[in-house]
Amino acid sequence: MCRNIKPLFNFDPPATNEEIRDAALQFVRKVSGTNKPSKRNEAAFERAVNSVAACARELLDSLETSQPPRDREEVAARARARTAARFA
């Protein structure tokens, strides 16, 4: 749906609240169709971001896997390689 939302599960160290909030913000922006809400809609926008972030944190905390945690640097390096190949 949104290329800026990155997978947050099964990383060492685990996803931070800031990362989860950033993903929630991207999701709400996408769903609402606006990057910055009007003053009139600011409170609703912020409530939605907080609600989505709370749900995402609950989901991440309840997921289980038998796979070892992924390394953030390794995943980032693969993403950079894909980007370089894509735009080369």
Side-chain angles (χ1 to χ4, degrees):
M1 181 181 111
C2 186
R3 281 182 262 157
N4 293 337
I5 298 176
K6 307 290 186 239
L8 299 175
F9 177 61
N10 197 26
F11 279 102
D12 189 27
T16 65
N17 288 335
E18 183 178 329
E19 289 173 313
I20 292 171
R21 182 167 173 73
D22 289 345
L25 177 61
Q26 286 290 16
F27 178 78
V28 172
R29 284 176 174 168
K30 188 71 164 184
V31 169
S32 69
T34 183
N35 207 17
K36 182 165 173 36
S38 65
K39 288 286 184 190
R40 178 182 232 174
N41 294 323
E42 215 168 55
F45 193 88
E46 192 61 28
R47 276 193 313 272
V49 171
N50 291 337
S51 180
V52 170
C55 289
R57 170 51 74 191
E58 181 182 341
L59 172 65
L60 291 173
D61 289 345
S62 64
L63 290 175
E64 298 177 8
T65 184
S66 60
Q67 297 295 317
R70 296 178 286 175
D71 181 86
R72 289 178 183 274
E73 288 303 316
E74 183 181 315
V75 171
R78 284 196 314 253
R80 284 191 296 272
R82 280 192 310 269
T83 299
R86 181 177 176 201
F87 295 108

